[in-house]
Amino acid sequence: QQQVKQSPQSLIVQKGGISIINCAYENTAFDYFPWYQQFPGKGPALLIAIRPDVSEKKEGRFTISFNKSAKQFSLHIMDSQPGDSATYFCAAKGPNFGNEKLTFGTGTRLTIIP
Amino acid sequence: DTAVSQTPKYLVTQMGNDKSIKCEQNLGHDTMYWYKQDSKKFLKIMFSYNNKELIINETVPNRFSPKSPDKAHLNLHINSLELGDSAVYFCASSRRGGDQPQHFGDGTRLSIL
């Protein structure tokens, strides 16, 4: 059972454009939603994260939009750059202290073309 | 300087062999994890330890046995390797609780011949 669904699987965006990746979750007990960025040959690294009591969080060119009623959240990358080319994973974590399990989406391979 | 380090980076071995992957973190975290990333890049947690105590044990064949000698180390031993075990294995660590980010190592690519 895939508890966090991510789309699209791959995305090609022109330099300077906006990249948008979407995720949907099923478990309403999730209460922490991070996005991870992974470059080839490297481990995932935390990019930005949000809690469901906030509808939007912005850090530089990266913004998470969160829709609690629809159980959806998305990552927007403004002014996309070739250096943003990577695989992006959304994830969700449960509410229990000590339940550190991250459930990941299936990943989006983003390519920024000049 | 490396926060979460894994060894080896690459592991090529024959089916049926036993192998181990080591992980060490110098971040002072008390929780460590093993993840498996398959050929389609899907990331799935396998195990989690907090202060040497197993707290997450997903549905993983018992050929996989994690061992945490102290809270800075979490090793993964795999017995009787199978073709389906070919994947990239990531170690990660975090502080426990709340919105603590998980810090990942650069992975061990395991290839079974």
Side-chain angles (χ1 to χ4, degrees), chain A residues 40-42, chain B residues 6-13 19-21 87-88 106-111:
Chain A
K42 296 293 185 182
Chain B
Q6 297 179 226
T7 54
K9 190 170 176 66
Y10 300 97
L11 190 50
V12 181
T13 189
K19 289 293 177 187
S20 292
I21 306 171
V88 181
D106 285 340
T108 295
R109 182 173 293 276
L110 174 62
S111 300

Side-chain angles (χ1 to χ4, degrees), chain A residues 18-34:
Chain A
I18 303 173
S19 304
I20 302 174
I21 304 170
N22 301 300
C23 283
Y25 62 97
E26 297 166 9
N27 187 346
T28 54
F30 288 143
D31 71 349
Y32 174 67
F33 300 88

Side-chain angles (χ1 to χ4, degrees), chain A residues 2 31-32 36 38-46 51 87 89 93 97-107 109, chain B residues 9 31 33 35 37 40-43 45 48 55-56 58 90 94-107:
Chain A
Q2 181 61 39
D31 71 349
Y32 174 67
Y36 280 79
Q38 184 179 25
F39 293 105
K42 296 293 185 182
L46 179 68
R51 291 188 64 87
T87 300
F89 294 92
K93 189 161 81 169
F97 181 83
N99 181 5
E100 317 301 339
K101 176 181 167 181
L102 272 177
T103 300
F104 282 89
T106 48
R109 187 169 185 169
Chain B
K9 190 170 176 66
T31 305
Y33 315 79
Y35 287 86
Q37 187 170 49
K40 295 185 178 178
K41 291 217 172 262
F42 184 57
L43 262 172
I45 191 163
S48 175
I55 58 172
I56 296 173
E58 291 293 288
F90 286 100
S94 73
R95 296 196 189 282
R96 194 172 189 188
D99 305 341
Q100 301 299 327
Q102 294 185 16
H103 296 256
F104 285 76
D106 285 340

Side-chain angles (χ1 to χ4, degrees), chain A residues 62-103:
Chain A
F62 301 92
T63 300
I64 301 179
S65 296
F66 192 89
N67 186 331
K68 189 175 180 178
S69 60
K71 293 188 286 184
Q72 294 174 348
F73 58 111
S74 59
L75 176 69
H76 296 234
I77 307 174
M78 312 299 286
D79 187 25
S80 299
Q81 298 297 313
D84 297 330
S85 296
T87 300
Y88 291 80
F89 294 92
C90 61
K93 189 161 81 169
N96 301 322
F97 181 83
N99 181 5
E100 317 301 339
K101 176 181 167 181
L102 272 177
T103 300

